[in-house]
Amino acid sequence: MKKIIFSSVFILSFTVLFAQSIKGTIEINMKEGLFNCNFNLYNIPQNKNYKILLNKGMNIKYFKDSNGILVKYDGHYDGQTKGEAIEYALLDEEGKTLPIPTSFQVNYKGAFPIYFENNEDYGPFDYKGIIAFNGKTLRASDQSKWYPVLFDVDNDKLIDQYPYDLTIKVTNSENNSIFINGNVPQKTLTDNFISTKPSSLFLFIGNYDFISQPAGYILNLDADNKSVADIFKNIEAVKEKLANNLSSKFTDKIYIINHKAVNRRKPGSSWAFNDYPSIAFTDLDPAKMLNGKGQFEPWYTKFLGHELAHNYFGTHMLSGKLSWFWLESFAEYLSFNVTEDFGFNAFLKESLLSGAKNVESQSFIPLSEITEMAQINESYRYILAPLMLKCFEDTFGREKTNLVLQSLLEYAKKGTLTLEHFDKAVIASGIKAIDYQRFKQTYITSKDFKQNIIAQIRKIYGDA
């Protein structure tokens, strides 16, 4: 079975509170790995403490204000980095940081390596933030910051979803297709793409074909119509399970993208990421996804349960010191429920016990003592914290847990989530305060919280 590594930054379908939008032109040379971009951003929420993020490989020609006048900016010398990007800010004539204007223009070029110019031309790593030209396709997700992303410093929040009006032109590509989140793929070298709904600007461009189904599209995959229909039938079933749990239906088509990893991988391994409503896999193989009855194998059911859960627990959760907990741990917990609802109880039991064993020798800080995002590492967010949520469900029941999750989704629309919001959601669900305090002291605030979680999982599901 393939091993798939989760990525960290994902997109949701909820209405975004901000009304910022982007318009412009993008020219991409597929043979040389070149970007040539000219963007105008409009309706930007006012903020005195902000940064404009752009990928480190992008070289800025200029920023201009809404009147087309050049604006000085900080970050071109000794610029600070944030993830894959350099931080920029606009300056006045005295070199002081300006509050971000309601609109501005930015023009820049970028150059990136082409992988697989020969068969052994691999890079040392691959992940969602890489801008990957492989001689056949270009993959550029929101995490790469290939387009300008705004960062609200005070609220520790990325503004990376925009309604858009973009003209995309591609050169040096045959049989070319263009896909950008918020639109269906088009077989073309140039076209104008418009979305009135805020979307992350995930690009997948190049020499590939795509297959349409009523529920979505599969891009760059050699598969027969029956396999494609079975894949989407299973996806619809996963969506239905999640929608029933959280009392909120999906409204988006799903885009399954098959792309090539640019690093050398062990035989049979793979990785994937979500840029909702797109899910990108490396080396996708329908024969390994589906059993003889056309049903997802348990691993893919669980994986798609996690990825599609980001329709709910998506980037609007990526704010504050507990960001990874809200974003990833809840999506992983929901994947447990989907797995169980499909009847894969033995597989779920194995997964829970394996997770408990995995974190047994590691050290973690109680959630109540977390002071910065980095303290919730991958093992914490993907294994330990989801196990804690499973303990919560086993203590108070699935119905109460779903009510807690539904309340959290409402709170997240108004601001950054905290443990106080979790407390409030628990009490609103009808759980008695004294019972919750007992749970909280055991699994959330105790210095022995990890051991308590492991012990509870093993007590209920049996020793590993």
Side-chain angles (χ1 to χ4, degrees), residues 249-260:
K249 292 184 178 181
F250 282 75
T251 58
D252 301 288
K253 290 181 180 293
I254 300 298
Y255 299 86
I256 303 297
I257 296 169
N258 182 39
H259 62 104
K260 185 176 180 64

Side-chain angles (χ1 to χ4, degrees), residues 176-193:
N176 191 76
S177 298
I178 300 175
F179 170 74
I180 184 168
N181 254 0
N183 269 270
V184 299
Q186 299 291 331
K187 185 70 70 173
T188 183
L189 284 169
T190 184
D191 207 341
N192 180 235
F193 296 86

Side-chain angles (χ1 to χ4, degrees), residues 46-50 90 97-101:
Q46 293 303 283
N47 195 318
K48 293 183 179 180
N49 195 7
Y50 72 96
L90 304 183
T97 301
L98 290 167
I100 195 164

Side-chain angles (χ1 to χ4, degrees), residues 19-87:
Q20 70 280 346
S21 59
I22 189 168
K23 182 177 182 179
T25 59
I26 306 135
E27 184 174 336
I28 296 171
N29 185 319
M30 296 293 291
K31 185 177 180 180
E32 301 296 331
L34 302 177
F35 279 75
N36 189 356
C37 299
N38 187 42
F39 290 121
N40 287 277
L41 276 76
Y42 302 96
N43 302 322
I44 300 170
Q46 293 303 283
N47 195 318
K48 293 183 179 180
N49 195 7
Y50 72 96
K51 298 293 180 183
I52 302 167
L53 306 182
L54 269 178
N55 187 279
K56 295 185 287 285
M58 302 300 184
N59 295 291
I60 294 175
K61 182 177 182 180
Y62 56 68
F63 285 98
K64 290 183 177 180
D65 65 18
S66 58
N67 296 315
I69 298 173
L70 284 173
V71 180
K72 293 182 178 181
Y73 64 94
D74 184 36
H76 55 87
Y77 173 74
D78 197 26
Q80 299 297 307
T81 59
K82 182 174 179 61
E84 296 77 10
I86 293 178
E87 299 180 346

Side-chain angles (χ1 to χ4, degrees), residues 272-338:
F273 67 83
N274 182 308
D275 217 336
Y276 187 84
S278 302
I279 303 173
F281 295 81
T282 64
D283 302 315
L284 187 62
D285 184 353
K288 294 184 178 180
M289 293 182 74
L290 302 166
N291 63 22
K293 297 180 181 179
Q295 299 170 330
F296 275 161
E297 294 287 358
W299 207 101
Y300 280 96
T301 299
K302 182 176 178 299
F303 174 76
L304 267 299
H306 177 109
E307 297 304 328
L308 291 170
H310 284 299
N311 174 54
Y312 304 97
F313 288 87
T315 45
H316 64 314
M317 301 290 190
L318 196 61
S319 175
K321 61 186 180 182
L322 296 181
S323 294
W324 292 128
F325 175 58
W326 310 116
L327 177 69
E328 296 294 356
S329 303
F330 281 80
E332 183 65 2
Y333 161 74
L334 285 166
S335 80
F336 298 159
N337 290 352
V338 169

